[in-house]
Amino acid sequence: MTRLSSINALIEKNLESGIVNLNEDKAKQIFQIMGMPVVKEENVTTQEQVLDAGQKLGFPLVLKGLGANILHKTEAGLVIVGVDGNDSLKQAAKTIQDRAGKNLDGFLVQPMVQGKREFVAGMFRDDQFGPVIMFGLGGVLTEAIGDIVFKIAPLDPADLEDMLDSLGAQKLLGPFRGEAAVDRESLKSVLKALSDLACACPGIREIDVNPLIVKADGMPVAVDGLMVLEKNIPSGTPLSPPIDLNALRSCFYPESVAFVGASATPGKWGHMLPTNTFARDFKGRVFLINPKGGKIMGRKVYKALSEVPTDVDLAVVTVPAHGVMDLIPEMAPKKVKGMLLITSGFREVGDQGRDLEDRIVAEARKAGILVLGPNTMGVCNPHAEFYSTAANAFPLPGSTALVCQSGNMGTQLLAFAEQQDIGIRAFSGSGNEAMVIIEDYMETFERDELTRTVVLYIESIKQGRRFFKSASRLSQGIISRLKKILPLFWSHDNPVDIVGEGDPGIPRTCMEELLRWDGCDAVIHLGIHGKRILVNAMIESILKADPDANAAEAAQFNQALAQVEEDYTQYVVELTQKYQKPVLGVSLLTDELSRTLYRYDHLEYKGVYFPSPERAVKALSGMVQYQTWLGKRI
């Protein structure tokens, strides 16, 4: 039986017995199985056994009261620290007995772990995101300061590193008041164990490890813990059936559009939307639908969708909410692929509207019709000259996809894009997201070859885990290309870790792959320039330590290494000129030969190197600000 299966069996046994709160000693038994460092302790039931345990463990001690109904021992006054002898241990046991009364099941006797730093780690299951791992400052500071980091499980190595790096109190991870720096690998192993537990053991709802004390030698140890169990924990918000992402993309390229609810009155949705569509050079066919017939804007008006003489790709609906359901039987024969439901009056108005929205979506799904909205301000695709939005804004075609859950914000951003000549790949106001949700838009534009950037204005999300998974992906194309260059254990993420390979061609090749990728606007590279200084120091040590070492060969090697670095520096500048993208370097170390700028007569640009990553990032930020300022002056 594997350790995780044995833990699941233990959890199931407790649940069958009606136990949902695993107190400290049982929780730490599971922590131990997972390889987490825990404090040595004795679980006893009588005051006499407390004294025996004290003699065995040695003073000073911590004495705690245990009970199935005792979840917060400290708040109940059931934790006594610094017990330094038999008399004080006996008095501590009596005090705990008096305070806990009938709720006391036993005592936990522990040696007092000495350490000036306390952290907290834990897990909880969120209805949106599933299991979430938490790490931060522990002890009494947890709630007072709130220096806490969260990550969605499962955690990969980059997540673990980022959790430690994201902690505000970074000084506590280094050497601190005479104590050694925290053993980061041990700390990461605790977080990884929590992640593995969360993913493999669905019966665990919460885990709390507080405090996680760092001893003077830098090793963390769990001195307290709690685990909450639950049968049949919901796996998160129920997922709606997936939509056809190709069908969603086709809604931005309709060959025929019907405006159902067209109006002759300026200012009404039924007038604004077709007006903006007609005002541009849209190549598709446009049909106006209104029961009164006649003409609007000099164009024929059909009394019903069924009268339209051809199939319709996209139906833009502005009729009142109560009339939408009757349109679906008319749409099916016309092979409508998408319904852009502008109309409001659905779930945003209460239960009755919510019920109507759900029924419309169910019928549309049966008919194979994609519903965008309802309560949306529309869509546009400048690449097709298709502008079906309430915003009288017509930005240029570009590579930035924009999706907004707020109509007002969408209007402002489209107008801003037009004003600043920012190209837009496509826009959609997502509205109530009854069928097509923000995650669908993200994944549609992610696979779209014209999209380089997706900008989202979000007020809520419906599928949290899917959202973060989609948001955290690099392009699979660039990953595939880098996989051909790098060993299996590279980071597969940004930053691109070339894992210290000795081949000088690897950083060159990786650099060019990144620069030729449309998803990359700039590169900061580090770990190459200045590496010769470390190697030179190593060679000097070898010459001192090994009397048989050849000084002439060492000098030749140093010279060759300097040339490799010089060639690399020039190559980076050549790439900068070739791809017209900024490339900033960070020197690993500097000496009398190191420079900030490297000039080459035949190249327009220069090699630029900074002494730290922070300075390189600030310089790149300044370049962006300067470019923005220049744009405003033109």
Side-chain angles (χ1 to χ4, degrees), residues 20-144:
V20 293
N21 297 316
L22 293 187
N23 56 24
E24 181 178 342
D25 64 323
K26 290 184 178 179
K28 284 192 288 192
Q29 288 175 16
I30 294 177
F31 297 164
Q32 273 191 308
I33 295 174
M34 292 301 297
M36 292 170 57
V38 298
V39 65
K40 186 179 180 181
E41 59 192 20
E42 294 280 338
N43 186 342
V44 298
T45 55
T46 67
Q47 294 188 23
E48 290 75 16
Q49 291 171 334
V50 167
L51 296 176
D52 292 339
Q55 292 298 319
K56 184 187 300 183
L57 295 174
F59 298 99
L61 293 171
V62 176
L63 186 64
K64 302 177 180 179
L66 292 178
N69 297 319
I70 302 173
L71 298 182
H72 303 288
K73 301 184 293 294
T74 301
E75 289 82 347
L78 303 182
V79 177
I80 299 177
V81 301
V83 179
D84 57 5
N86 284 333
D87 291 341
S88 58
L89 181 59
K90 186 174 181 180
Q91 181 58 47
K94 183 178 185 305
T95 299
I96 288 176
Q97 177 76 66
D98 293 340
R99 289 175 179 173
K102 294 181 179 179
N103 289 325
L104 187 70
D105 295 333
F107 300 91
L108 204 58
V109 188
Q110 302 172 343
M112 189 169 176
V113 177
Q114 304 289 341
K116 298 174 182 176
R117 292 161 290 182
E118 295 185 1
F119 296 99
V120 60
M123 184 280 294
F124 64 91
R125 294 187 187 274
D126 182 84
D127 291 340
Q128 267 282 359
F129 303 104
V132 177
I133 308 302
M134 175 265 289
F135 171 69
L137 291 188
V140 296
L141 298 178
T142 301
E143 296 179 6

Side-chain angles (χ1 to χ4, degrees), residues 486-519:
L486 296 168
L488 293 175
F489 47 91
W490 74 284
S491 62
H492 292 72
D493 207 339
N494 190 11
V496 177
D497 183 356
I498 61 173
V499 293
E501 291 293 291
D503 182 355
I506 286 180
R508 292 183 173 207
T509 310
C510 290
M511 179 85 69
E512 182 153 19
E513 287 292 347
L514 289 170
L515 287 170
R516 63 190 285 260
W517 174 39
D518 287 342

Side-chain angles (χ1 to χ4, degrees), residues 4 7 11 20-22 24 26-28 30-31 34 36 120-125 131-135 150 190-210 222 224-229 233:
L4 287 170
I7 291 172
I11 291 170
V20 293
N21 297 316
L22 293 187
E24 181 178 342
K26 290 184 178 179
K28 284 192 288 192
I30 294 177
F31 297 164
M34 292 301 297
M36 292 170 57
V120 60
M123 184 280 294
F124 64 91
R125 294 187 187 274
V132 177
I133 308 302
M134 175 265 289
F135 171 69
F150 299 94
V190 172
L191 301 176
K192 182 65 165 59
L194 292 175
S195 173
D196 292 344
L197 271 173
C199 294
C201 304
I204 304 175
R205 182 158 195 105
E206 296 178 23
I207 302 174
D208 185 32
V209 185
N210 188 17
D224 203 345
L226 174 68
M227 195 173 290
V228 179
L229 312 180
I233 298 176

